[in-house]
Amino acid sequence: MKITDARVIVTCPGRNFVTLKIETDEGLTGVGDATLNGRELAVAAYLRDHVVPLLIGRDAHRIEDTWQYLYQGAYWRRGPVTMSAIAAVDTALWDIKGKAAGLPVYQLLGGRSREGVTVYGHANGETVDEVLDEVARYLDLGYRAVRLQCGVPGLPSTYGVGADKMFYEPARGTVPEENVWSTEKYLSFVPKLFARAREEFGPELRLLHDVHHRLTPIEAARLGRSLEPYGLYWLEDPVPADLQEGFRLIREHTTTPIAVGEVINSIWDCADLIRNQLIDFIRCTVVHAGGITHLRRIFDLAALHHVRSGSHGATDLSPVCMAAALHLDVSIPNFGLQEYMRHTEATDEVFPHGYHYADGYLFPGEEPGLGVDIDEEAAARYPYRQAYLPVNRLEDGTVHPW
Ligand code: CS2
Ligand code: MG
C-alpha cells in the first residue's frame, strides 16, 4: 500500500491545531496530530517542506522503518519540532494500519489491558471555595481524580486559573501575556488548599496538583513534604525537567509522588528519570514524543522501573492525539492516569471522533484505526490565528519558568 498524498491542515476552531492527513493508493487515509502550542507553524513547515516530499511513494505499512528513516535520516535529533512532525506521520500510519486490518489500533498494540481509561479533570478557581465547588462539579460528572489549581493571594494571576472552567486555554495574543510569580506566596498557600480539599472530600479521592516547572529541587522537596498529610496522587512538574539529576534531591526528601513529562520529547530525555526511579508517573504524550511507536518505547522502559503513565491531555492536544493516547492507555500494562481537558464544540465539529466519556472513564471506541478524522471543510472555516503562551516574571522583573 503506497502513500500517494499527505496534507498539512492548520485550523483554529477556538485554538490552533496542526494535522497531517495521509492518503494511500488503496483509498485508506490516516490522521496525525502535529500541534505545538505557540510554535504551530514551525512544525507545519517542517512537515510540508521536509517530510511530505519523502512520504510520497513509501509503503504505508512500514511504520517502524519510516520512523527510523525520518529520525535517523534527518541527522539532527530530538526536540519538540522534529518529534511532533515524526509523531504526526507515525500516528497517521497506525491509523491506516488499523483500518487496513479492520481493527481498532489498541488491538494491534496487544489488545485491552483494562476496560476504560481513568481520567482526571481540572478544578480551577480564584479562591479555595471556588476550587472546591469545581471539585464537587467533577464528582457529579463521575470523575475519580481531580487536579486542583487556585489563585494565590497577592498574585494577580496564576497558572491553571482562567475564566473558562471546562476548557482552560492559556495561549492568546500576538505578543505573549506576562504573568508575575512569587515562590514564597505560592509555597505558603498551597498546603491550605489541599487541607480544605481533604476536609471536604475525604481521604480517597485522587487529588493532583501542577507546579508547572516553577520551583528549584529543594523548594519542591519542601512543598512535597508539606503536602504529605494530604496524600496527593501526584505533584506535577515541580521543577524544569532539563536537569534529570535534579529530581534526586526531591526524592530524598519527600514521599509525595512526582509526575513529569509534558515537555519531554524522547526516551533519551527521561531515561535517567525512569532508570533511577526518580519519578512515579511519566506524562509524555503521543504528539510531542514521537508518536505511538516512540511513546510505547518510553512506557515500556517505565514499566521496568515501577513508573506508570500519566499522559498529558490539555486542550492544545487535538482529538487526534487524544484518540491515539487512549489506544495506548487501554493497552499498556503500566497505565496510571490520563489527563482530560474537554475540547470546545467547534473543535469537536472539526475532529469527529468515536471515543467517549462515561462515569470517570474515556473509551477509545471500536472503529477500525484510531476512530477520529478531520472535517476539512469545517477546518477551512477557522483560519490560523497567532497565539502565544504567557511569559512569567518574578516580582522584581526577572524572567522565570511559566
Ligand atoms: C499543562 C498544560 O495540562 C497541563 O498539565 O501543564 O496546560 C500546558 O500548560 C499546556 O499544554 C501548554 O501548551
Ligand atoms: Mg502540566
Side-chain angles (χ1 to χ4, degrees):
M1 178 169 42
K2 292 227 179 317
I3 296 174
T4 51
D5 190 22
R7 281 190 302 287
V8 180
I9 303 146
V10 181
T11 179
C12 185
R15 68 149 3 275
N16 291 314
F17 293 110
V18 179
T19 309
L20 180 72
K21 183 152 190 172
I22 294 182
E23 292 190 357
T24 63
D25 58 1
E26 293 187 15
L28 297 176
T29 63
V31 283
D33 184 18
T35 309
L36 185 61
N37 204 2
R39 297 292 186 271
E40 296 86 359
L41 299 185
V43 188
Y46 189 111
L47 281 168
R48 268 188 198 129
D49 298 343
H50 304 292
V51 173
V52 166
L54 306 177
L55 296 179
I56 311 303
R58 290 185 71 83
D59 180 355
H61 274 305
R62 294 180 64 169
I63 298 178
E64 181 68 41
D65 182 66
T66 302
W67 198 98
Q68 299 299 340
Y69 184 85
L70 294 176
Y71 185 78
Q72 299 192 47
Y75 184 66
W76 311 107
R77 294 171 178 231
R78 292 147 79 165
V81 175
T82 299
M83 296 306 273
S84 301
I86 296 176
V89 176
D90 183 81
T91 307
L93 294 182
W94 276 102
D95 191 19
I96 289 170
K97 197 182 278 295
K99 287 176 184 168
L103 292 170
V105 167
Y106 77 80
Q107 293 290 15
L108 308 182
L109 298 172
R112 261 179 212 290
S113 289
R114 57 196 53 75
E115 300 311 316
V117 172
T118 310
V119 296
Y120 69 93
H122 290 197
N124 309 328
E126 287 298 341
T127 62
V128 174
D129 287 332
E130 232 180 280
V131 177
L132 299 186
D133 286 350
E134 283 301 300
V135 176
R137 196 145 77 100
Y138 278 102
L139 292 182
D140 287 346
L141 291 169
Y143 281 72
R144 291 144 204 273
V146 189
R147 182 184 101 163
L148 275 58
Q149 304 297 135
C150 187
V152 175
L155 291 182
S157 64
T158 313
Y159 162 76
V161 183
D164 297 325
K165 292 298 181 214
M166 302 300 272
F167 335 94
Y168 171 68
E169 183 48 74
R172 64 180 75 89
T174 49
V175 288
E177 207 172 77
E178 297 213 355
N179 294 170
V180 180
W181 178 250
S182 158
T183 295
E184 295 76 12
K185 290 182 174 125
Y186 170 77
L187 284 181
S188 70
F189 172 71
V190 178
K192 295 177 195 150
L193 169 66
F194 283 91
R196 283 279 312 279
R198 278 297 176 219
E199 243 172 65
E200 202 124 327
F201 300 104
E204 278 164 33
L205 177 64
R206 292 178 178 184
L207 297 178
L208 298 82
H209 180 66
D210 190 352
V211 183
H212 223 252
H213 327 271
R214 289 166 183 214
L215 301 177
T216 64
I218 202 68
E219 290 164 351
R222 185 177 139 206
L223 177 63
R225 197 179 269 192
S226 66
L227 292 174
E228 277 171 25
Y230 315 116
L232 262 62
Y233 188 73
W234 80 41
L235 184 68
E236 179 175 328
D237 289 334
V239 299
D242 310 17
L243 179 67
Q244 296 183 49
E245 182 59 27
F247 285 78
R248 193 178 294 282
L249 195 60
I250 308 176
R251 222 24 168 190
E252 280 165 357
H253 293 284
T254 179
T255 56
T256 294
I258 305 295
V260 177
E262 64 185 50
V263 300
I264 289 174
N265 316 115
S266 81
I267 197 165
W268 300 281
D269 300 310
C270 54
D272 292 342
L273 286 175
I274 293 172
R275 275 198 304 251
N276 296 316
Q277 300 179 51
L278 300 179
I279 58 172
D280 302 278
F281 297 91
I282 183 73
R283 294 191 63 258
C284 306
T285 194
V286 174
V287 54
H288 301 139
I292 291 175
T293 298
H294 193 68
L295 187 55
R296 192 168 60 162
R297 218 150 261 163
I298 295 176
F299 287 160
D300 283 345
L301 178 68
L304 302 181
H305 297 88
H306 304 288
V307 176
R308 285 177 283 168
S309 75
S311 286
H312 189 199
T315 42
D316 49 297
L317 313 167
S318 89
V320 176
C321 177
M322 179 54 84
L326 294 176
H327 285 273
L328 262 174
D329 289 339
V330 89
S331 63
I332 57 172
N334 55 328
F335 170 74
L337 195 59
Q338 169 70 52
E339 182 180 23
Y340 178 41
M341 259 204 247
R342 288 161 192 252
H343 288 111
T344 59
E345 269 174 36
T347 299
D348 287 342
E349 178 208 351
V350 170
F351 296 99
H353 54 264
Y355 65 79
H356 74 279
Y357 171 87
D359 197 26
Y361 299 102
L362 276 172
F363 299 89
E366 295 302 319
E367 287 164 50
L370 294 173
V372 62
D373 207 346
I374 181 163
D375 176 339
E376 292 185 59
E377 263 177 45
R381 290 203 300 275
Y382 302 101
Y384 169 77
R385 282 203 317 252
Q386 188 159 39
Y388 281 102
L389 285 170
V391 169
N392 209 17
R393 290 185 189 274
L394 299 179
E395 287 168 308
D396 72 358
T398 308
V399 173
H400 191 74
W402 173 69

